Structure formats: C-alpha cells, structure tokens
Amino acid sequence: SSDTLYALLNNVSSVSGDCFTVAANNVTLDCQGYAINYSYSGRSNDKGIYVSGVNQTVVKNCLILDGADNGSNRPGMHILNANNGTFENNTFITFGNNSGGIRLESTVGYSDTNYNRIQDNRIKTFGNKSDGIAFLSSSVLNNITGNQIVVSTSDQANGIYLNSDTDNSIFNNNTITMSSATAGNTRAFYISASSNFNRISNMTIVTSNTNGFGLQVQSNGDNVFENISITTSGSSASGLR
C-alpha cells in the first residue's frame, strides 16, 4: 500500500513469478542486507523486483539473486513507467540470457521513466545479451552515480546501455569491468542514436573481451564526456568506437 516501509527480517525466495511488485506510490523496501532469491525454477520473464507505474519508490540494501542459470529475460529489477525513485546500495547477480541487473523502460501512452536515482549499487551479470544497467526507451533526467558493474562471460552485452530517447541524465563515478577474455561484441558504455544531452564523467572502464569496446557512441547528440579512463585488452578491441 502507499506510504509504507517494508523491511525484510530474513531471506526470501520465489519458485516462479516476480518476487516483489511495487504497485503503489511512496513505497520503501529495505532489505537490511537480506537476499531476494527470485524464480529459482528458471522460468523466463520473471524479475526480482518489478516497479511499475508508480512514483517515489525506494529500494535499498538488497542482495538480489537470479535463482537459476537457465531461462531468459530475467532482470534483477525492472523499472517501468516509474518516476522519482531511489535505488541504492543493492547487489545484483544474474545468470539468464537477455537479463541483466537493472532495466528502465517506458511504454507508449504512459508516463516516461524519469527523475530516478540509481546509486552505489554492485551489479554482476552472466549470460548473453545481459546488460548491467539498460535504459530501453524514453527516460530523462535520471542520475546514475557510484555503481560498480561487472559483465562476465557475456556475448553482445553492455555495462551501461542507453537506447533511444535517453536524455539529460547524469552518469558519474561509475566503474565498469568487462571481465571475460572469450566473450565478444561487448561494450562497457554504449550510447545508441537519439540519446542526447547526457553528461558522462569520472568513469573507469576496464575490458578484456575479444572484439570488445570501452565506449561506443552511435550519434553524439551533444553528450558530454569528461575524465574517462579506459583500459582495453583482447584481440580486435578498442577503447573508443
């Protein structure tokens, strides 16, 4: 219900389905360091935490674990048409293909996903096409600060991915490590066309992937980059593309 604090007192898990759904405004979920082990049946399309169509959500101090190493489309957290949220001091570990840590998305005809703060989280992803943090559509004025992202053994994955219409947001003091020497076609920070006026600063990138890239920008769109450190290894890899 609205205006409510929920605090975990022990670890929780789900066999299938989304483990937590936030469907009311001004809800805080404080895991107090306990684990959310979601969908250990391995069913596709399940999520650890689903935040949909609401405002002022806070999720903090959670250990969010993908409960199986099979299935696909299983993000740790999916934020859809939600605004003014704070998601901080959480740890995400995911295994499914096309899954990843945090996914932000907007759907046509509903409110965009704006003014959210994602800070001081630790994200580790396994599985192909699984991004650390992914902005899939129509998100503006978000703040992504102080996150540590490790993408391991994942082909065609990104540390942070900005799809179309991700605008006017701040990405500051994030660290991204692409850690598998065998994975290919990966990008630590990827900005697709039509994402504009973002500020990316104080970022550290380390990649060791075959055919991997530190920073790839399809269309600059007046984005600002400052104080970016990129270290690459692996065949056919480069810092900038």
Side-chain angles (χ1 to χ4, degrees):
S1 59
S2 299
D3 307 312
T4 302
L5 165 65
Y6 298 92
L8 292 190
L9 299 177
N10 50 259
N11 298 328
V12 296
S13 62
S14 61
V15 176
S16 62
D18 305 332
C19 200
F20 282 94
T21 298
V22 180
N25 292 323
N26 197 27
V27 167
T28 295
L29 173 61
D30 184 355
C31 294
Q32 302 190 111
Y34 290 107
I36 296 173
N37 191 328
Y38 66 97
S39 189
Y40 57 81
S41 68
R43 192 178 75 169
S44 296
N45 304 313
D46 290 343
K47 298 166 282 292
I49 299 175
Y50 184 36
V51 181
S52 177
V54 295
N55 300 314
Q56 297 177 308
T57 300
V58 176
V59 177
K60 60 183 180 180
N61 306 321
C62 298
L63 172 57
I64 301 171
L65 303 172
D66 187 347
D69 61 1
N70 56 339
S72 64
N73 193 33
R74 298 163 52 84
M77 182 184 299
H78 189 182
I79 303 165
L80 177 67
N81 306 320
N83 298 283
N84 294 291
T86 299
F87 309 95
E88 61 182 347
N89 194 36
N90 302 294
T91 298
F92 297 83
I93 301 175
T94 70
F95 297 98
N97 294 331
N98 194 30
S99 297
I102 302 174
R103 180 181 297 172
L104 298 94
E105 188 175 9
S106 303
T107 52
V108 176
Y110 294 87
S111 172
D112 289 347
T113 298
N114 304 329
Y115 303 103
N116 294 289
R117 186 172 184 89
I118 298 174
Q119 63 183 22
D120 300 327
N121 299 286
R122 296 152 299 280
I123 301 169
K124 188 166 187 177
T125 71
F126 301 85
N128 297 330
K129 300 181 181 179
S130 293
D131 304 324
I133 300 174
F135 290 82
L136 297 185
S137 57
S138 300
S139 297
V140 303
L141 295 166
N142 296 289
N143 190 316
I144 314 303
T145 297
N147 300 284
Q148 300 176 36
I149 299 169
V150 177
V151 176
S152 181
T153 62
S154 300
D155 287 340
Q156 303 180 56
N158 308 289
I160 296 178
Y161 174 44
L162 278 58
N163 201 352
S164 60
D165 300 318
T166 301
D167 301 329
N168 293 288
S169 292
I170 294 171
F171 298 83
N172 182 49
N173 199 33
N174 298 293
T175 299
I176 304 172
T177 302
M178 313 296 284
S179 66
S180 173
T182 59
N185 300 308
T186 62
R187 294 149 301 206
F189 199 104
Y190 180 32
I191 302 179
S192 69
S194 303
S195 287
N196 306 307
F197 306 109
N198 299 288
R199 179 174 291 273
I200 299 95
S201 59
N202 304 311
M203 181 167 62
T204 300
I205 291 172
V206 178
T207 75
S208 57
N209 305 79
T210 300
N211 198 29
F213 303 96
L215 175 63
Q216 181 173 347
V217 182
Q218 282 193 333
S219 177
N220 185 43
D222 293 310
N223 297 293
V224 175
F225 303 88
E226 56 187 3
N227 195 27
I228 311 297
S229 172
I230 304 175
T231 303
T232 65
S233 61
S235 62
S236 302
S238 64
L240 299 174
R241 185 182 187 186

